[in-house]
Amino acid sequence: MKHAVHALVIASVLAVAACSQDDTADNPATSPSTPALSTTATAAASNLAPAPGSSAAAASSAATPVSAGPYLFDLLQQSDFAAAFHALKGAKELPDWTEQGGTSTPAQKVAVDGKSLLAAAGCKPHDCPSERIVLLYDEKTHAMWGVFARRQGEAPADVSDGSNDQLSWLGEPDDQFKDALKKRLYYPE
């Protein structure tokens, strides 16, 4: 639980920093015209591992530094990503903040079921524990899967406790993709 609290504090600090500055003008890494990430994240589970062929693929499960990638807002400005998002089954029922990306952290490259994907996440501005979204995007096929979580009642202090969450699956993720989405939702890296 101590690690989950630390992760929440770090994510909150990053989110506040991201909200308090306009990165798109000064930081080419978050510009809407920036191509997708070229870095990878090391995952904690076997079905959510670094992208095949990446230098991180040979690394152990210890955390490795990841360069800042585009934020969900930036990705939603890209026509292919936006089209995939709007085509998701269930996307029309999402709250308005999801169309702008909400408060988010940089996207990361991950691998699920042997596919190299872009993982992007966001939450409701000024109320992250109440509503969160995680998306997995295949840049080659433009396929997308996601999960939207809405807390019912009081949010537990432990971010990894999803006992009060109502999950809405976006698209039609199979069990492996559902597991990967849940891990990114409850145990972000």
Side-chain angles (χ1 to χ4, degrees):
M1 181 166 149
K2 188 175 185 179
H3 294 290
V5 172
H6 286 133
L8 176 62
V9 170
I10 291 169
S12 298
V13 169
L14 290 173
V16 169
C19 287
S20 63
Q21 60 186 355
D22 179 9
D23 288 329
T24 58
D26 301 325
N27 185 355
T30 59
S31 168
S33 63
T34 301
L37 290 173
S38 61
T39 58
T40 60
T42 301
S46 62
N47 70 332
L48 185 58
S54 71
S55 60
S60 69
S61 63
T64 57
V66 176
S67 297
Y71 289 80
L72 185 53
F73 169 82
D74 299 319
L75 292 168
L76 287 165
Q77 304 308 304
Q78 297 177 8
S79 61
D80 57 340
F81 190 94
F85 177 73
H86 290 106
L88 272 177
K89 180 180 178 185
K92 290 177 178 58
E93 290 82 36
L94 295 174
D96 290 340
W97 68 260
T98 60
E99 298 258 345
Q100 289 82 35
T103 302
S104 62
T105 56
Q108 299 176 340
K109 285 271 191 173
V110 297
V112 179
D113 195 24
K115 296 180 182 182
S116 179
L117 305 171
L118 189 60
C123 63
K124 182 178 181 180
H126 310 292
D127 193 9
C128 276
S130 71
E131 296 180 349
R132 297 164 323 282
I133 190 169
V134 176
L135 300 169
L136 295 174
Y137 178 63
D138 187 327
E139 296 172 287
K140 292 179 184 176
T141 66
H142 305 291
M144 185 178 284
W145 306 267
V147 63
F148 177 76
R150 179 174 279 139
R151 288 271 159 107
Q152 307 296 310
E154 287 192 38
D158 184 0
V159 178
S160 64
D161 181 355
S163 61
N164 290 353
D165 284 353
Q166 174 188 0
L167 300 181
S168 299
W169 299 106
L170 307 171
E172 296 180 355
D174 64 19
D175 288 341
Q176 281 190 314
F177 280 78
K178 284 181 179 181
D179 287 344
L181 287 161
K182 279 177 147 179
K183 285 177 181 157
R184 300 224 44 101
L185 181 66
Y186 296 117
Y187 305 103
E189 298 172 13

